[in-house]
Amino acid sequence: MAGGNSQSDMRHLLRGVFRERSKETFLTLNLLRQHWVDVVGPELGGKTQPQRLDGRTLVIAAPDACWAYELQFFRSELLSSVQAYLASQAVTELRFGMYVSELDRPW
């Protein structure tokens, strides 16, 4: 009987941890989306957009494959800008891709 309570307590604890992590991810991504131009500047901010946060990896959407490829050369500068803006290590990696649909584009 004690094992049942222990498993139930563990499940409850894990749900809380995952719920809190999801909330943190949601808030971080929304903060970056709302202030993206401030984070990366007007040129990149007008052509790119934070798409999702997978763990500590920020996926940035670009208008096409050429843009996504070029962004790789600025990875460390972009990561530094994101980390400085967040004042944390919530994002430790960047990945670049293309917009899935026209509706996703910021312009």
Side-chain angles (χ1 to χ4, degrees):
M1 200 172 250
N5 288 337
S6 175
Q7 286 178 344
S8 177
D9 290 346
M10 181 59 84
R11 256 182 273 158
H12 181 70
L13 177 67
L14 288 175
R15 275 193 207 119
V17 168
F18 288 125
R19 195 174 303 124
E20 192 61 34
R21 181 71 177 137
S22 292
K23 189 187 320 178
E24 179 184 322
T25 297
F26 175 80
L27 293 172
T28 300
L29 184 58
N30 280 332
L31 178 68
L32 288 172
R33 282 180 174 164
Q34 289 175 3
H35 300 278
W36 190 237
V37 172
D38 299 327
V39 176
V40 298
E43 185 178 355
L44 287 179
K47 291 287 187 184
T48 63
Q49 181 178 355
Q51 196 167 49
R52 69 181 180 277
L53 192 54
D54 292 333
R56 293 185 180 272
T57 301
L58 178 65
V59 179
I60 299 173
D64 56 45
C66 289
W67 266 92
Y69 177 77
E70 289 292 323
L71 288 172
Q72 294 180 48
F73 294 106
F74 302 99
R75 180 183 308 271
S76 61
E77 291 91 343
L78 289 171
L79 182 58
S80 293
S81 293
V82 168
Q83 290 174 336
Y85 191 84
L86 295 174
S88 77
Q89 297 289 311
V91 174
T92 57
E93 293 287 330
L94 298 179
R95 205 167 59 216
F96 306 103
M98 295 181 297
Y99 290 104
V100 176
S101 74
E102 293 293 320
L103 298 175
D104 293 334
R105 295 176 185 229
W107 58 91

